[in-house]
Amino acid sequence: MEEGQRKERLEEAIKHLMSLGLIDGRAISKSIAESMNRKINGISSALNGDNRYLTWKFTKAFCAAFSNIISADWIWNGTGEMFQTEDYKPNTKELLSDIPVRLCDHNVGVPYYNVDFELGFDILINDQTTKCDYMINFYPYNKCNVWCNARGNSMHPTISSGDIIALKSVEDFHFLISGEIYAIVTTNGLRTIKRIKDNGTTLMLIPDNKKYPEQTIEKNEVVKVYQVMGSMKMF
């Protein structure tokens, strides 16, 4: 039980370090391996909760690699606060809804394509002749790669059919953060948006709408992963 909670706390720490720009969310294992000066395979095993790699020594080295912003004691046994200093605690008073969205500037922001993720938007945008409909300049998501449409109700109410979603490409999906929402493409043509639970060699796809079943797929079937960074309602 403790090993699972330790992995969850490590994932929470990684999410905050990503929000600070200290870990590249497109290639999490690689980014951490470079910061820690370690091999990526060992990093991936530790992040997946393998207790041969997720050790107290690893935990201390991980925190030290990121200037001890995160408390090693908190990750290891849940004691104390996550942050070693108040300076890095997220400001919950700053609401994303207070940040203006501008759709008219064609030189800044992230391209929006009026196409559904589930219908193969990745094929469309990789066509060099395809032009985006417009740019969305929404500062919190300007590090994403693309905005496109979501369809279906399996993620309702978090994401509703017709919402537009901000996607950030994940280059290294050896390790994915359990509980986060990802858009996944597989070798057999499956394109789906779900929360995931990373079980090492498999991924459990979990809908927010409990009327829909969970699904397990093999990781080696996955060819492309995007993290769903946010969504906007389209009325």
Side-chain angles (χ1 to χ4, degrees):
M1 178 65 73
E2 180 57 38
E3 287 81 1
Q5 293 174 343
R6 193 170 291 148
K7 177 177 179 288
E8 290 175 2
R9 289 192 292 268
L10 177 60
E11 291 176 350
E12 188 68 20
I14 289 170
K15 283 193 279 187
H16 284 289
L17 292 171
M18 286 169 55
S19 73
L20 294 171
L22 300 176
I23 292 176
D24 185 350
R26 298 168 299 175
I28 295 173
S29 297
K30 180 181 177 183
S31 180
I32 294 173
E34 290 175 350
S35 295
M36 294 180 67
N37 194 26
R38 294 194 179 189
K39 293 181 178 179
I40 192 170
N41 289 343
I43 296 295
S44 296
S45 296
L47 301 186
N48 280 314
D50 188 330
N51 58 19
R52 294 172 298 175
Y53 295 88
L54 182 49
T55 62
W56 170 239
K57 183 178 180 180
F58 170 88
T59 304
K60 290 194 296 182
F62 170 82
C63 292
F66 298 100
S67 305
N68 288 309
I69 292 170
I70 305 291
S71 164
D73 286 328
W74 178 82
I75 293 176
W76 188 250
N77 54 35
T79 59
E81 298 288 333
M82 177 194 295
F83 294 95
Q84 298 273 49
T85 170
E86 295 285 328
D87 296 341
Y88 294 98
K89 284 189 176 182
N91 182 6
T92 56
K93 293 182 180 179
E94 183 178 1
L95 301 177
L96 293 181
S97 58
D98 293 334
I99 304 175
V101 181
R102 298 203 305 274
L103 304 179
C104 57
D105 192 331
H106 294 281
N107 298 311
V108 294
V110 176
Y112 163 72
Y113 294 87
N114 185 21
V115 64
D116 299 348
F117 174 79
E118 290 85 347
L119 296 181
F121 94 96
D122 50 321
I123 297 173
L124 176 68
I125 65 171
N126 286 328
D127 182 343
Q128 297 301 310
T129 65
T130 303
K131 294 183 179 180
C132 69
D133 289 71
Y134 48 77
M135 305 292 284
I136 297 180
N137 183 21
F138 187 15
Y139 179 77
Y141 302 139
N142 276 2
K143 290 185 178 181
C144 294
N145 301 103
V146 66
W147 290 83
C148 67
N149 303 330
R151 286 286 178 259
N153 295 308
S154 65
M155 291 302 294
H156 184 78
T158 309
I159 299 173
S160 300
S161 187
D163 290 355
I164 62 173
I165 50 175
L167 302 180
K168 187 173 183 180
S169 178
V170 178
E171 297 173 7
D172 170 22
F173 39 87
H174 287 94
F175 168 75
L176 299 175
I177 300 175
S178 293
E180 293 293 292
I181 301 175
Y182 291 92
I184 293 173
V185 182
T186 68
T187 53
N188 63 5
L190 173 69
R191 290 179 172 84
T192 188
I193 299 168
K194 296 289 187 295
R195 293 190 191 275
I196 66 96
K197 181 179 180 182
D198 192 335
N199 293 320
T201 59
T202 63
L203 294 176
M204 181 178 289
L205 309 180
I206 305 170
D208 279 7
N209 187 340
K210 299 310 176 186
K211 294 181 180 179
Y212 290 76
E214 296 180 353
Q215 181 181 1
T216 299
I217 60 173
E218 298 291 327
K219 244 186 192 177
N220 58 18
E221 296 177 354
V222 177
V223 294
K224 191 66 180 176
V225 175
Y226 300 87
Q227 186 170 10
V228 180
M229 305 300 295
S231 66
M232 290 196 293
K233 303 292 182 185
M234 299 297 283
F235 297 98

